[in-house]
Amino acid sequence: MTQMTDAKNNIITKEMEFVAKEEKINPEKLRKLIAKGYVVIPKNAHRNTKPIGIGEGLRTKVNVNIGTSPDCVDIDMEIRKTKIANKYGADAIMDLSTGGDLPKIRKAIMQNTDLPIGTVPIYEVGIESRKKYGRVIDMNEDIIFNVIERQAKEGVDFMTLHCGITKNSVESLKKDKRIMGVVSRGGAFLTAYIMYHNKENPLYEHFDYLLEILKEYDVTLSLGDGMRPGCLCDNTDRPQIHELIILGELVDRCREAGVQVMVEGPGHVPLNNVETNMRIQKSLCKNAPFYVLGPIVTDLAPGYDHITSAIGGALAAYSGANFLCYVTPAEHLRLMNEEDVKEGLIASKIAAQAADVAKGNPLAWKMEKEMAIARKNHDWEKQFELSIDKEKPKKMREELPSADEKACSVCGEFCALLMVEELGKR
């Protein structure tokens, strides 16, 4: 049984009870949202994953991408990244490894976290195909579905699968005057496969079989946006929307089959089109949880894309996105290191909190009020405790302290709060 099947059968699972308690909402209300497909709890039936709710009426969640590359295979570093994700409050982790022993890397990551783990199985498919046949494009149905089932057995909680890349959507891409073409790695694998072999995408052609595998392990399907724009100039174009229409149809089939599903969204969108993209997705995909990368709102800030994506992420989450995939300062430049993971995660959590406050989430507002009271009371330890990054503000305060322990060294004896407090005592 899946969370969605149980929800449809009026069963409130222990995972639903846990999420309801965490989110401070009624369990029955949560069950109804899951039954409709408006909320998902990515949790493999065979893994002891911490239940996290993603979707309507819940706090905005943040995902951290980690993983090796062919140029850098260091399992110990991936474990350190995992521990940073745990420490600084990630809600999920995706292993995007493409170098080294992928099952071994996944196992190491899973052993060091109880957060939901996501993957992009087509990466492993491409690597296996290259080893076996010499080329990624020579992948076949057996390898594709064997990898998916193997990862499901290992305990993967959610999978990005580019099921909306079809022969028709590839034709749409050919006719469009995009600058950057296909920038999704998984999307490129399948687009190249379709173009070279003139065959349909097996993930689309055999979608019902895919759902059978995912349902057996209660793996949440994250429908990948293989035609997402790779720069602002390509945003919200025909190939992107064509694929999104297909994804909307696949959402219906997932819900009918009792498989939890969310939809992935674009990573490069100018501010004026962010809300538009959220509304289009929510309409076409019938309120399925929306998982967006960033989005990055200017392409002119390499090295600072954790900032460009936090700006876009705050607006996206306020406008309807439910799940933000962080972007690190290393985006487009190199494999992220441990410090990049921390910076990207904190930036994305700031965006999520800002959006939740704007949406009136009571838990978000509770934290804001507690911080206001701590500042009024000059309770520095409480301020550090409430901070998204608990270490940096404490370190900064210690670097240049004030003579008055209640104040900070910006104002010192001229602290506005202290001045008014003294007058109030007279």
Side-chain angles (χ1 to χ4, degrees), residues 101-116:
D101 185 333
L102 270 56
K104 184 178 180 181
I105 294 164
R106 273 195 302 276
K107 184 177 180 180
I109 292 170
M110 287 182 181
Q111 287 175 338
N112 283 277
T113 188
D114 64 352
L115 294 176

Side-chain angles (χ1 to χ4, degrees), residues 239-309:
Q240 178 194 331
I241 302 303
H242 187 153
E243 181 186 27
L244 189 60
I245 292 169
I246 296 169
L247 298 185
E249 295 167 355
L250 297 180
V251 165
D252 290 341
R253 291 171 65 181
C254 288
R255 289 173 173 173
E256 289 167 9
V259 173
Q260 296 189 99
V261 61
M262 52 188 174
V263 177
E264 298 186 10
H268 294 254
V269 185
L271 273 175
N272 60 301
N273 275 351
V274 170
E275 182 180 2
T276 299
N277 272 265
M278 304 306 113
R279 290 185 181 277
I280 291 173
Q281 186 275 344
K282 287 293 180 177
S283 176
L284 292 177
C285 300
K286 298 179 183 176
N287 209 38
F290 200 17
Y291 178 23
V292 298
L293 179 66
I296 289 170
V297 293
T298 172
D299 293 324
L300 303 184
Y304 297 90
D305 277 327
H306 59 311
I307 297 174
T308 63
S309 68

Side-chain angles (χ1 to χ4, degrees), residues 51-205:
I52 300 290
I54 302 168
E56 182 179 305
L58 308 183
R59 287 172 294 173
T60 305
K61 303 304 187 299
V62 175
N63 173 73
V64 160
N65 287 341
I66 62 174
T68 63
S69 75
D71 293 322
C72 183
V73 179
D74 185 341
I75 294 181
D76 289 339
M77 182 168 74
E78 299 312 315
I79 291 172
R80 292 194 297 272
K81 292 177 186 176
T82 301
K83 291 179 178 178
I84 288 170
N86 293 335
K87 180 177 180 179
Y88 291 98
D91 297 297
I93 297 173
M94 288 200 78
D95 173 22
L96 306 186
S97 293
T98 54
D101 185 333
L102 270 56
K104 184 178 180 181
I105 294 164
R106 273 195 302 276
K107 184 177 180 180
I109 292 170
M110 287 182 181
Q111 287 175 338
N112 283 277
T113 188
D114 64 352
L115 294 176
I117 295 293
T119 61
V120 185
I122 202 70
Y123 293 173
E124 189 165 357
V125 170
I127 291 166
E128 287 199 7
S129 298
R130 191 170 183 179
K131 286 179 180 177
K132 189 171 183 178
Y133 302 115
R135 299 186 304 179
V136 172
I137 57 172
D138 288 328
M139 67 178 93
N140 57 47
E141 294 167 15
D142 287 342
I143 292 179
I144 291 172
F145 290 105
N146 285 342
V147 167
I148 291 169
E149 187 159 18
R150 184 167 70 236
Q151 291 193 9
K153 287 179 179 178
E154 290 172 3
V156 171
D157 300 292
F158 65 102
M159 296 182 185
T160 292
L161 292 164
H162 302 84
C163 306
I165 300 282
T166 67
K167 290 180 75 173
N168 283 338
S169 61
V170 169
E171 284 303 311
S172 176
L173 177 70
K174 288 178 182 178
K175 295 174 184 176
D176 198 79
K177 294 182 180 180
R178 270 193 173 190
I179 293 176
M180 293 195 66
V182 178
V183 298
S184 159
R185 185 161 47 190
F189 284 9
L190 288 162
T191 299
Y193 170 90
I194 291 169
M195 293 174 73
Y196 185 81
H197 296 286
N198 193 30
K199 291 182 178 180
E200 187 54 275
N201 175 1
L203 294 172
Y204 179 76
E205 188 174 16

